[in-house]
Amino acid sequence: METLPTTTVTSSKSERRGRSSKYQSTSKPSVIMAFFSCVAWLYVAGRLWQDSENRVILNNMLKKNYDQKPKVLTVDDKLMVLGCKDLERKIVETEMELTLAKSQGYLKSGSSSSGGKRLLAVIGVYTGFGSHLRRNSFRGSWMPQGDALKKLEERGVVIRFVIGRSPNRGDSLDRKIDDEDRARKDFLILENHEEAQEELPKKVKFFFSAAVQNWDAEFYIKVDDNIDLDLEGLIGLLESRRGQDASYIGCMKSGEVVTEEGGQWYEPEWWKFGDEKSYFRHAAGSLIILSKNLAQYININSGSLKTYAFDDTSIGSWMIGVQATYIDDNRLCCSSIRQDKVCSVA
């Protein structure tokens, strides 16, 4: 009986130690988590404080730089400060006067003529790489050659076959033309033009520009390669028109714009010609005559002049925008039955 109390006490002590050990084991993770939470909050608070200080420093620097930044001047302010407004106006006026003078033929260039005297006409006969036989046919009929060609130039008339360069620059096509030109000396080779059917509307710009740059003449004439000329008749017609500035001379026509793709004379930009689909008045492409100042206008503005599917309508569109005098001469209608016409279809 004396041992029972001892057993009870011992059991009670064991239970207390068990509960104490349990409490200690469950509280350790909580303490550790609380510690790391505190560390994390301290880190975040430190970063926020640091970022806040950085922002304050950056704001102060930006404000300081902004206060020190010079005032932004407008273009007008700068011109007023430099005293250039009046000078700018004078420059613009001078450029406009210069453009007007150039369009009227007052242009210093390397133009050459017979004995320094202005020529009557420069005639450019279109040709192609495969037209050697046709060129020889012209040389044997209405077009002089050799000494006769030089004598014609002394009378004030220059005639040249007009051709561009091959798409494969320097190939056999180019070499044959160069050889023929060395032998005949009757070509105007357009170095910057690529000879191709689809490039024909652009060829007329290169021709008039090159002709104006090389010769000083009253008139510049474009002739298709299927046209025979009555040369003396043409010279007489031009002599009667000498001194007539801004002359746009030819067989004037108009007509329907072809809108069906694949059709003959199809115009890809037909929609630009209005609801009636009709071309404006223009000289037929077989033979077109321009006075000096109109050819000069093409030379000066060739980079911005719009071309259409055909060279005659392209030239007609350029003439609408200038004060050209339209001269409709039936003698230049090469397919007509007039007896006194100066050209005919070969």
Side-chain angles (χ1 to χ4, degrees), residues 125-132 135 162-164 177 180 187 195 203 225:
V125 182
Y126 273 24
T127 191
F129 293 116
S131 301
H132 178 73
R135 289 193 294 273
V162 182
I163 193 169
I177 292 297
E180 188 176 345
F187 278 88
E195 191 68 31
K203 183 175 181 176
D225 66 348

Side-chain angles (χ1 to χ4, degrees), residues 126-237:
Y126 273 24
T127 191
F129 293 116
S131 301
H132 178 73
L133 293 178
R134 182 168 290 179
R135 289 193 294 273
N136 283 341
S137 174
F138 288 164
R139 292 179 181 122
S141 56
W142 64 267
M143 182 175 174
Q145 52 184 320
D147 291 338
L149 187 63
K150 292 180 180 179
K151 288 181 180 180
L152 182 65
E153 292 180 9
E154 291 173 1
R155 291 179 58 190
V157 178
V158 172
I159 305 177
R160 294 289 186 272
F161 289 112
V162 182
I163 193 169
R165 286 298 188 183
S166 167
N168 301 313
R169 184 64 67 101
D171 63 5
S172 60
L173 296 176
D174 279 346
R175 292 195 297 272
K176 287 180 180 178
I177 292 297
D178 290 336
D179 292 342
E180 188 176 345
D181 185 36
R182 279 190 290 268
R184 299 288 191 168
K185 294 181 173 55
D186 57 2
F187 278 88
L188 173 59
I189 300 175
L190 307 175
E191 296 291 344
N192 296 322
H193 174 67
E194 182 178 297
E195 191 68 31
Q197 183 65 33
E198 63 273 14
E199 297 295 325
L200 280 177
K202 296 179 182 177
K203 183 175 181 176
V204 74
K205 290 198 295 184
F206 286 103
F207 161 61
F208 282 116
S209 295
V212 165
Q213 292 168 18
N214 283 281
W215 295 282
D216 178 22
E218 291 277 347
F219 300 102
Y220 298 85
I221 306 169
K222 175 258 175 179
V223 180
D224 276 348
D225 66 348
N226 64 337
I227 299 300
D228 282 329
L229 287 181
D230 173 4
L231 192 55
E232 290 302 323
L234 179 61
I235 291 173
L237 184 153

Side-chain angles (χ1 to χ4, degrees), residues 307-318:
T307 56
Y308 291 96
F310 309 103
D311 56 4
D312 55 356
T313 52
S314 296
I315 295 175
S317 71
W318 306 335

Side-chain angles (χ1 to χ4, degrees), residues 249-302:
I249 310 172
C251 178
M252 296 296 168
K253 66 173 187 175
S254 184
E256 183 182 358
V257 178
V258 178
T259 61
E260 292 185 16
E261 187 173 358
Q264 189 179 19
W265 314 119
Y266 168 64
E267 173 57 68
E269 297 189 72
W270 54 266
W271 57 274
K272 289 186 177 180
F273 294 89
D275 294 336
E276 298 299 324
K277 306 296 184 298
S278 179
Y279 281 118
F280 37 74
R281 187 72 60 185
H282 62 278
S286 300
L287 197 158
I288 300 173
I289 304 173
L290 298 181
S291 61
K292 167 82 176 195
N293 56 345
L294 294 182
Q296 188 79 288
Y297 171 79
I298 294 174
N299 175 38
I300 295 168
N301 299 284
S302 61

